[in-house]
Structures are given as C-alpha cells and as structure tokens.
Amino acid sequence: MIWNPIKECMPEEQKRELQGKRLHKVVDYVYHNVPFYRHKMQEMGIEPGDIQTIDDIVKLPFTTKQDLRDNYPFGLQAAPQSEIIRIHASTGTTGNPTIVGYTRKDIDVWSECMSRCLTAYGVQRSDIFSVAYGYGLFTGGLGVHYGVENLGATVVPTSTGGTQKHAKLIKDLGVTGLACTPSYALHLAEVIEQMGIKKEDLKLRVGAFGAEPWTENMRQEIQARLGLKGYNIYGLSEIMGPCVSYECECQDGSHINEDHFYPEIINPVTLEPLERGTDGELVFTTLTKTGMPVLRYRTRDLCSLLPGDCPCGRTFVRMSAIKGRSDDMLIIRGINVFPSQVESVLLEIPECAPYYRLIVDRKDNLDILTVQVEARPDYLSEGFDTLSPITALEKKVADRLKSVLSISSVVQIKMPGSLERFEGKAKIVTDNRKLV
Ligand code: DLL
C-alpha cells in the first residue's frame, strides 16, 4: 500500500518542477524573515530571484550545526512566535542544544510523512503501535506518535523506561507494531526472554527502528528474537525528526520524502556535489517548512543516494544505510574505523552477543582500540569456570577484526548481561584521547 501515490510516485520531471518552485519560495521566505540567511546570501551576491530551478540549489550557502548553536535559541526561526506550536531540541553533549520550532503546518507535514512511512511498512488502522522512543524534547516519541494517530492505528505512548512493564503490555494488549532504537529493541528482546515470554505468545509483526546506525546483522538478530519485520526509519531534528526517509517493502535503501526535503551528497572536505551512488556527506534543504526552514544543512551523516528505480513504484530517491558520521569516524593509527564495521564483524561471530563497546586510548603516542563484547549465554554455560573458551573467543574476534579493519585491537569478552543497556540512543564509543 502507498499512502500518497500522487506524491510518492510522482514522475521525475514533475517532481523536479515542484522542488524548484518550492525551493524558490523557501529561499524568498528565509531571505525576508531570517537575517542570518539574508546576510549570507548578500555576502555571496545572490538574491531569491537567482533561484528558479532545483539545479540552482548549488548557489546557496550551507548551514551547519554550529550556525544553529551560534544563533541559539531562536535566531534561525522564520515564523513569528505566535505561529509556533511546538519546540523540540536535539541532544548534544557540548554547548547549546539545537532548538527547532514547528508551526501547525510543519506538524501536519511531519504526520503526513510518518503516515507514508508506516503505510510502507504495512501498518494498518487495525494495528496497535507501541512508541518506545523518548517523549519530550527528543523528536522520536511525539513524531512517531502523531504519525500513528494520523494513519488511524492505535498508539500506545510507552516512551522509554519500565521495560518489564512494556513487555507485559506488548503481550497483554496484543501490540503489533514497535517503534524504538534498534539497541533498545535488543534489550527488550532480552527482557522478554528473561520473563519467560515466548515470541510466539506475542503479536508483534512490524518494527520502526532508527535514530542510530544499525547493520543488516542487527536487523536479522532483532527479527529473529522478536518475531517481527524490522524497517529502517531515518531523520534528524534540524530537518524534522523521524521520517525524513523510510524503507519500503523492498528494503533496499530508504525513500526520502523528496517533496519536502531535498537531498544532496557532497564531499565533506571540498564541499563539491557528488554523483549518485558515491558515498559522501548528506545535505538537506527543507522545501516546505515554515517554522525553521534550513538551506543545505550539513548532516555529517555519510551515505550515498542510490541510482535506479525501486520496484515498489515510489519515485522518491533512496538513501543507503548510514555508514557513519564524519564526526563519529574514529581514526586509529591513521586508519579510518566506523563503529558499524566493528558491529558487522561481531554479529557475524555466532558466539558473540550483540552488546559491545569501543574504547580508544592513547599510550606512549600509540592509539589502542579496545573492543568489549558480551559472549552469548549458551557459549559460556559450558566450561564457565575455565578461562579457555574466553581466551579462544578473544583471539577469534581479534583475528576477524584485524582482517576487516586492518588494525589490531584488544578484545575483552564480557559476561552475558554485564554491559550497560540503553533505552534511547546507545553510547557505544568512548574516545579517551580527546581528554588528553
Ligand atoms: O534521531 C530522529 C529520529 C527519531 C529518527 C526516531 C528516527 C527515529 P536526532 O536526535 O536529531 O534525531 O539525531 C539525528 O541520528 O543525523 C543520524 O546520525 C542518526 N540517525 C537517525 N536515524 C538514523 C538511522 C533523531 N535510521 C541523527 N540510521 C542523524 C542511522 C540515524 N542513523
């Protein structure tokens, strides 16, 4: 099923024409309502009249997270405060958070995008959907919530915390849909197993997982343990929140809601636009937002836009899975390492559970990568009191990591259940070098 075939399956020409018109309108709007953009455009010697087609987008200035921080809290807001009906803020560890104000129109567009996404997953009005993203300043909870309501399915606003209570509700209410981070889905699976609930006793059939990078192996693991089909959902607060893009039944990339968010891929160093199919930094321009529109926002997320058509019939371009963030990439002894690469390796090893941490230290000017990973309970149940299975597994993991990453690492096998579990976004990496 397709929620809005007129938009989601628009012929390419028509789509580009619509994008061009919308781009002109949003540029004119920010030029007259956001001094930050007016000054930037004046510095570059461009006026709204110079932007007529979507190809003119390359003439526009970029926006960065730092720009949003520098203009904290409302500097980039284009609509008057009386038009803003909701505020969200992005999580940030340092400095000012990013504040995003939404008008009623923005919230309606968001709900529409979410309904497109849920329909692509096969969600129907008869479904009961538990939203276990955090409700609050984070966009995950309320964003998905409004989409489920807009579609007409039943929403259970679980939010985070109280995992046992959540597990009981899933069983007792016959919950069919689950929205949460992939790491939380795994934790939930673990709690469900510990409570003695069998996946056959549950009615779960579809999951909307995102807000953090996850791999194909992680998808397989979640699907096997919860007995549902897991779909990717991508988004970011600065652009809207969940559902800037969504997977369809083909699960070969996520369709970007291109009538509202225009994507580009650039080389993060030279800022040159890159061809379809080439990995680079994802950049978004909001085409219809009225609260806080952004021009060419640099997401720092690394991925590619996939060439070719999708068999599902949607013409919205697809983005690949996020391969890492330009600011998340670890450079260890000069070699680029993405946490997702490590995850892929670990989940291919049957003795390893999908709970792991990466710790980077610097000793005597040498970078040391420590990978902590839990063993699966069944692996350690025999010979638990001897060290040999642990040492053997540590060596196996270290060898596999070395062959994939081309660097050696210190592997520490941890007891099942010993690493901290997360309810929101998982904090996988600790880079102690920054503290030096
Ligand atoms: O994480 C919005 C969201 C909520 C998306 C719920 C999906 C589901 P922020 O907190 O602003 O917003 O974080 C945005 O999270 O730039 C990516 O680095 C990462 N991210 C989000 N979705 C995915 C995904 C929400 N599906 C940042 N895969 C983004 C990989 C993701 N990374």
Side-chain angles (χ1 to χ4, degrees), residues 128-161:
I128 303 179
F129 221 89
S130 170
V131 179
Y133 286 115
Y135 279 63
L137 288 172
F138 177 53
T139 52
L142 285 168
V144 178
H145 181 107
Y146 273 67
V148 179
E149 282 196 355
N150 192 50
L151 185 139
T154 309
V155 65
V156 186
T158 321
S159 195
T160 50

mmCIF file of all heavy atoms in Angstrom, residues 128-161:
data_model
loop_
_atom_site.group_PDB
_atom_site.id
_atom_site.type_symbol
_atom_site.label_atom_id
_atom_site.label_comp_id
_atom_site.label_asym_id
_atom_site.label_seq_id
_atom_site.Cartn_x
_atom_site.Cartn_y
_atom_site.Cartn_z
ATOM 1 N N ILE A 128 -1.882 -2.060 16.548
ATOM 2 C CA ILE A 128 -1.649 -1.395 17.844
ATOM 3 C C ILE A 128 -0.152 -1.144 17.933
ATOM 4 O O ILE A 128 0.648 -2.083 17.889
ATOM 5 C CB ILE A 128 -2.108 -2.278 19.029
ATOM 6 C CG1 ILE A 128 -3.594 -2.644 18.869
ATOM 7 C CG2 ILE A 128 -1.849 -1.574 20.362
ATOM 8 C CD1 ILE A 128 -4.130 -3.540 19.987
ATOM 9 N N PHE A 129 0.219 0.124 17.990
ATOM 10 C CA PHE A 129 1.624 0.502 17.845
ATOM 11 C C PHE A 129 2.178 1.064 19.143
ATOM 12 O O PHE A 129 1.662 2.044 19.679
ATOM 13 C CB PHE A 129 1.723 1.564 16.744
ATOM 14 C CG PHE A 129 2.903 1.362 15.853
ATOM 15 C CD1 PHE A 129 2.811 0.570 14.717
ATOM 16 C CD2 PHE A 129 4.123 1.951 16.155
ATOM 17 C CE1 PHE A 129 3.912 0.364 13.896
ATOM 18 C CE2 PHE A 129 5.221 1.746 15.347
ATOM 19 C CZ PHE A 129 5.112 0.959 14.209
ATOM 20 N N SER A 130 3.230 0.443 19.655
ATOM 21 C CA SER A 130 3.860 0.958 20.870
ATOM 22 C C SER A 130 5.032 1.853 20.485
ATOM 23 O O SER A 130 5.955 1.424 19.793
ATOM 24 C CB SER A 130 4.363 -0.209 21.720
ATOM 25 O OG SER A 130 5.159 0.300 22.752
ATOM 26 N N VAL A 131 4.981 3.113 20.926
ATOM 27 C CA VAL A 131 6.058 4.054 20.604
ATOM 28 C C VAL A 131 6.986 4.138 21.810
ATOM 29 O O VAL A 131 6.641 4.732 22.837
ATOM 30 C CB VAL A 131 5.506 5.434 20.207
ATOM 31 C CG1 VAL A 131 6.648 6.394 19.896
ATOM 32 C CG2 VAL A 131 4.576 5.301 18.996
ATOM 33 N N ALA A 132 8.147 3.511 21.686
ATOM 34 C CA ALA A 132 9.096 3.470 22.799
ATOM 35 C C ALA A 132 10.337 4.315 22.507
ATOM 36 O O ALA A 132 11.416 4.055 23.019
ATOM 37 C CB ALA A 132 9.468 2.019 23.112
ATOM 38 N N TYR A 133 10.179 5.318 21.648
ATOM 39 C CA TYR A 133 11.192 6.383 21.586
ATOM 40 C C TYR A 133 10.830 7.340 22.714
ATOM 41 O O TYR A 133 9.651 7.427 23.113
ATOM 42 C CB TYR A 133 11.097 7.140 20.251
ATOM 43 C CG TYR A 133 11.620 6.375 19.059
ATOM 44 C CD1 TYR A 133 10.777 5.994 18.030
ATOM 45 C CD2 TYR A 133 12.982 6.068 18.957
ATOM 46 C CE1 TYR A 133 11.251 5.307 16.932
ATOM 47 C CE2 TYR A 133 13.464 5.377 17.853
ATOM 48 C CZ TYR A 133 12.598 5.000 16.845
ATOM 49 O OH TYR A 133 13.083 4.325 15.763
ATOM 50 N N GLY A 134 11.841 8.099 23.202
ATOM 51 C CA GLY A 134 11.571 9.024 24.298
ATOM 52 C C GLY A 134 10.596 10.119 23.881
ATOM 53 O O GLY A 134 10.705 10.673 22.792
ATOM 54 N N TYR A 135 9.619 10.377 24.749
ATOM 55 C CA TYR A 135 8.713 11.511 24.545
ATOM 56 C C TYR A 135 9.344 12.697 25.267
ATOM 57 O O TYR A 135 9.832 12.567 26.371
ATOM 58 C CB TYR A 135 7.333 11.226 25.162
ATOM 59 C CG TYR A 135 6.434 10.377 24.288
ATOM 60 C CD1 TYR A 135 6.786 9.073 23.956
ATOM 61 C CD2 TYR A 135 5.244 10.889 23.798
ATOM 62 C CE1 TYR A 135 5.964 8.304 23.150
ATOM 63 C CE2 TYR A 135 4.405 10.119 22.999
ATOM 64 C CZ TYR A 135 4.777 8.825 22.672
ATOM 65 O OH TYR A 135 3.957 8.072 21.880
ATOM 66 N N GLY A 136 9.319 13.855 24.646
ATOM 67 C CA GLY A 136 9.910 15.024 25.283
ATOM 68 C C GLY A 136 10.571 15.871 24.238
ATOM 69 O O GLY A 136 10.090 15.965 23.101
ATOM 70 N N LEU A 137 11.704 16.448 24.598
ATOM 71 C CA LEU A 137 12.390 17.333 23.647
ATOM 72 C C LEU A 137 12.888 16.553 22.426
ATOM 73 O O LEU A 137 12.979 17.076 21.323
ATOM 74 C CB LEU A 137 13.544 18.046 24.331
ATOM 75 C CG LEU A 137 13.123 19.126 25.329
ATOM 76 C CD1 LEU A 137 14.323 19.643 26.107
ATOM 77 C CD2 LEU A 137 12.404 20.268 24.626
ATOM 78 N N PHE A 138 13.245 15.274 22.631
ATOM 79 C CA PHE A 138 13.645 14.390 21.526
ATOM 80 C C PHE A 138 12.443 14.227 20.579
ATOM 81 O O PHE A 138 11.307 14.080 21.029
ATOM 82 C CB PHE A 138 14.078 13.041 22.110
ATOM 83 C CG PHE A 138 14.454 12.005 21.091
ATOM 84 C CD1 PHE A 138 15.399 12.275 20.111
ATOM 85 C CD2 PHE A 138 13.875 10.737 21.112
ATOM 86 C CE1 PHE A 138 15.750 11.315 19.168
ATOM 87 C CE2 PHE A 138 14.225 9.765 20.186
ATOM 88 C CZ PHE A 138 15.160 10.059 19.207
ATOM 89 N N THR A 139 12.726 14.227 19.283
ATOM 90 C CA THR A 139 11.635 14.194 18.299
ATOM 91 C C THR A 139 11.014 12.804 18.106
ATOM 92 O O THR A 139 9.936 12.699 17.515
ATOM 93 C CB THR A 139 12.162 14.644 16.915
ATOM 94 O OG1 THR A 139 13.324 13.865 16.616
ATOM 95 C CG2 THR A 139 12.481 16.118 16.885
ATOM 96 N N GLY A 140 11.719 11.754 18.587
ATOM 97 C CA GLY A 140 11.286 10.384 18.287
ATOM 98 C C GLY A 140 9.876 10.055 18.762
ATOM 99 O O GLY A 140 9.043 9.578 17.987
ATOM 100 N N GLY A 141 9.606 10.299 20.046
ATOM 101 C CA GLY A 141 8.323 9.892 20.630
ATOM 102 C C GLY A 141 7.144 10.592 19.976
ATOM 103 O O GLY A 141 6.299 9.952 19.327
ATOM 104 N N LEU A 142 7.084 11.914 20.130
ATOM 105 C CA LEU A 142 5.920 12.650 19.603
ATOM 106 C C LEU A 142 5.842 12.570 18.079
ATOM 107 O O LEU A 142 4.744 12.535 17.517
ATOM 108 C CB LEU A 142 5.971 14.112 20.054
ATOM 109 C CG LEU A 142 5.585 14.323 21.528
ATOM 110 C CD1 LEU A 142 5.927 15.725 21.989
ATOM 111 C CD2 LEU A 142 4.099 14.047 21.736
ATOM 112 N N GLY A 143 6.994 12.533 17.420
ATOM 113 C CA GLY A 143 6.996 12.469 15.952
ATOM 114 C C GLY A 143 6.279 11.228 15.445
ATOM 115 O O GLY A 143 5.367 11.305 14.619
ATOM 116 N N VAL A 144 6.676 10.066 15.966
ATOM 117 C CA VAL A 144 6.048 8.811 15.508
ATOM 118 C C VAL A 144 4.597 8.764 15.988
ATOM 119 O O VAL A 144 3.691 8.346 15.264
ATOM 120 C CB VAL A 144 6.845 7.571 15.998
ATOM 121 C CG1 VAL A 144 6.161 6.289 15.562
ATOM 122 C CG2 VAL A 144 8.277 7.608 15.479
ATOM 123 N N HIS A 145 4.383 9.242 17.207
ATOM 124 C CA HIS A 145 3.034 9.232 17.807
ATOM 125 C C HIS A 145 2.002 9.883 16.882
ATOM 126 O O HIS A 145 0.967 9.299 16.579
ATOM 127 C CB HIS A 145 3.096 9.991 19.141
ATOM 128 C CG HIS A 145 1.809 10.042 19.892
ATOM 129 N ND1 HIS A 145 1.598 9.309 21.036
ATOM 130 C CD2 HIS A 145 0.664 10.727 19.659
ATOM 131 C CE1 HIS A 145 0.364 9.542 21.469
ATOM 132 N NE2 HIS A 145 -0.222 10.407 20.653
ATOM 133 N N TYR A 146 2.306 11.086 16.436
ATOM 134 C CA TYR A 146 1.354 11.806 15.584
ATOM 135 C C TYR A 146 1.132 11.098 14.256
ATOM 136 O O TYR A 146 0.049 11.149 13.684
ATOM 137 C CB TYR A 146 1.832 13.253 15.361
ATOM 138 C CG TYR A 146 1.358 14.178 16.457
ATOM 139 C CD1 TYR A 146 1.822 14.048 17.762
ATOM 140 C CD2 TYR A 146 0.425 15.169 16.198
ATOM 141 C CE1 TYR A 146 1.381 14.871 18.776
ATOM 142 C CE2 TYR A 146 -0.035 15.998 17.210
ATOM 143 C CZ TYR A 146 0.449 15.844 18.498
ATOM 144 O OH TYR A 146 -0.006 16.659 19.487
ATOM 145 N N GLY A 147 2.163 10.423 13.759
ATOM 146 C CA GLY A 147 2.023 9.688 12.504
ATOM 147 C C GLY A 147 1.078 8.507 12.657
ATOM 148 O O GLY A 147 0.246 8.239 11.795
ATOM 149 N N VAL A 148 1.211 7.785 13.791
ATOM 150 C CA VAL A 148 0.342 6.624 14.024
ATOM 151 C C VAL A 148 -1.107 7.099 14.141
ATOM 152 O O VAL A 148 -2.022 6.528 13.550
ATOM 153 C CB VAL A 148 0.758 5.848 15.310
ATOM 154 C CG1 VAL A 148 -0.162 4.666 15.540
ATOM 155 C CG2 VAL A 148 2.204 5.389 15.224
ATOM 156 N N GLU A 149 -1.300 8.202 14.878
ATOM 157 C CA GLU A 149 -2.664 8.733 15.035
ATOM 158 C C GLU A 149 -3.226 9.193 13.694
ATOM 159 O O GLU A 149 -4.387 8.952 13.372
ATOM 160 C CB GLU A 149 -2.651 9.918 16.007
ATOM 161 C CG GLU A 149 -2.580 9.482 17.449
ATOM 162 C CD GLU A 149 -2.949 10.604 18.414
ATOM 163 O OE1 GLU A 149 -3.183 11.755 17.986
ATOM 164 O OE2 GLU A 149 -2.976 10.325 19.613
ATOM 165 N N ASN A 150 -2.385 9.868 12.903
ATOM 166 C CA ASN A 150 -2.831 10.378 11.604
ATOM 167 C C ASN A 150 -3.279 9.235 10.696
ATOM 168 O O ASN A 150 -4.243 9.360 9.943
ATOM 169 C CB ASN A 150 -1.676 11.164 10.958
ATOM 170 C CG ASN A 150 -2.109 11.968 9.756
ATOM 171 O OD1 ASN A 150 -3.097 12.703 9.825
ATOM 172 N ND2 ASN A 150 -1.397 11.831 8.652
ATOM 173 N N LEU A 151 -2.580 8.110 10.810
ATOM 174 C CA LEU A 151 -2.942 6.948 9.997
ATOM 175 C C LEU A 151 -4.220 6.292 10.520
ATOM 176 O O LEU A 151 -4.955 5.642 9.786
ATOM 177 C CB LEU A 151 -1.777 5.950 10.017
ATOM 178 C CG LEU A 151 -1.872 4.716 9.139
ATOM 179 C CD1 LEU A 151 -0.522 4.449 8.491
ATOM 180 C CD2 LEU A 151 -2.311 3.480 9.893
ATOM 181 N N GLY A 152 -4.449 6.460 11.802
ATOM 182 C CA GLY A 152 -5.676 5.899 12.375
ATOM 183 C C GLY A 152 -5.468 4.585 13.097
ATOM 184 O O GLY A 152 -6.436 3.935 13.503
ATOM 185 N N ALA A 153 -4.204 4.171 13.275
ATOM 186 C CA ALA A 153 -3.930 2.973 14.080
ATOM 187 C C ALA A 153 -3.968 3.390 15.559
ATOM 188 O O ALA A 153 -4.069 4.575 15.866
ATOM 189 C CB ALA A 153 -2.574 2.387 13.709
ATOM 190 N N THR A 154 -3.859 2.405 16.448
ATOM 191 C CA THR A 154 -3.895 2.719 17.884
ATOM 192 C C THR A 154 -2.479 2.960 18.374
ATOM 193 O O THR A 154 -1.595 2.136 18.149
ATOM 194 C CB THR A 154 -4.471 1.515 18.671
ATOM 195 O OG1 THR A 154 -5.689 1.136 18.054
ATOM 196 C CG2 THR A 154 -4.674 1.855 20.133
ATOM 197 N N VAL A 155 -2.268 4.077 19.061
ATOM 198 C CA VAL A 155 -0.929 4.333 19.574
ATOM 199 C C VAL A 155 -0.876 4.063 21.074
ATOM 200 O O VAL A 155 -1.789 4.423 21.816
ATOM 201 C CB VAL A 155 -0.458 5.772 19.227
ATOM 202 C CG1 VAL A 155 -1.283 6.842 19.899
ATOM 203 C CG2 VAL A 155 1.012 5.971 19.566
ATOM 204 N N VAL A 156 0.181 3.357 21.492
ATOM 205 C CA VAL A 156 0.448 3.164 22.920
ATOM 206 C C VAL A 156 1.703 3.989 23.223
ATOM 207 O O VAL A 156 2.805 3.623 22.801
ATOM 208 C CB VAL A 156 0.705 1.667 23.256
ATOM 209 C CG1 VAL A 156 0.830 1.469 24.760
ATOM 210 C CG2 VAL A 156 -0.382 0.782 22.684
ATOM 211 N N PRO A 157 1.552 5.122 23.920
ATOM 212 C CA PRO A 157 2.699 6.026 24.114
ATOM 213 C C PRO A 157 3.624 5.576 25.239
ATOM 214 O O PRO A 157 3.709 6.196 26.297
ATOM 215 C CB PRO A 157 2.027 7.362 24.433
ATOM 216 C CG PRO A 157 0.695 7.027 24.995
ATOM 217 C CD PRO A 157 0.297 5.674 24.467
ATOM 218 N N THR A 158 4.325 4.481 25.027
ATOM 219 C CA THR A 158 5.126 3.843 26.069
ATOM 220 C C THR A 158 6.288 4.701 26.547
ATOM 221 O O THR A 158 6.643 4.681 27.712
ATOM 222 C CB THR A 158 5.707 2.512 25.512
ATOM 223 O OG1 THR A 158 4.716 1.896 24.713
ATOM 224 C CG2 THR A 158 6.157 1.619 26.612
ATOM 225 N N SER A 159 6.906 5.425 25.620
ATOM 226 C CA SER A 159 8.140 6.180 25.898
ATOM 227 C C SER A 159 9.231 5.224 26.403
ATOM 228 O O SER A 159 9.101 4.011 26.249
ATOM 229 C CB SER A 159 7.869 7.318 26.877
ATOM 230 O OG SER A 159 8.953 8.220 26.851
ATOM 231 N N THR A 160 10.270 5.749 27.035
ATOM 232 C CA THR A 160 11.359 4.862 27.473
ATOM 233 C C THR A 160 11.182 4.504 28.951
ATOM 234 O O THR A 160 10.416 5.142 29.664
ATOM 235 C CB THR A 160 12.711 5.567 27.284
ATOM 236 O OG1 THR A 160 12.611 6.858 27.878
ATOM 237 C CG2 THR A 160 13.069 5.716 25.830
ATOM 238 N N GLY A 161 11.928 3.499 29.381
ATOM 239 C CA GLY A 161 11.887 3.105 30.795
ATOM 240 C C GLY A 161 10.842 2.035 31.033
ATOM 241 O O GLY A 161 9.964 1.800 30.192
#
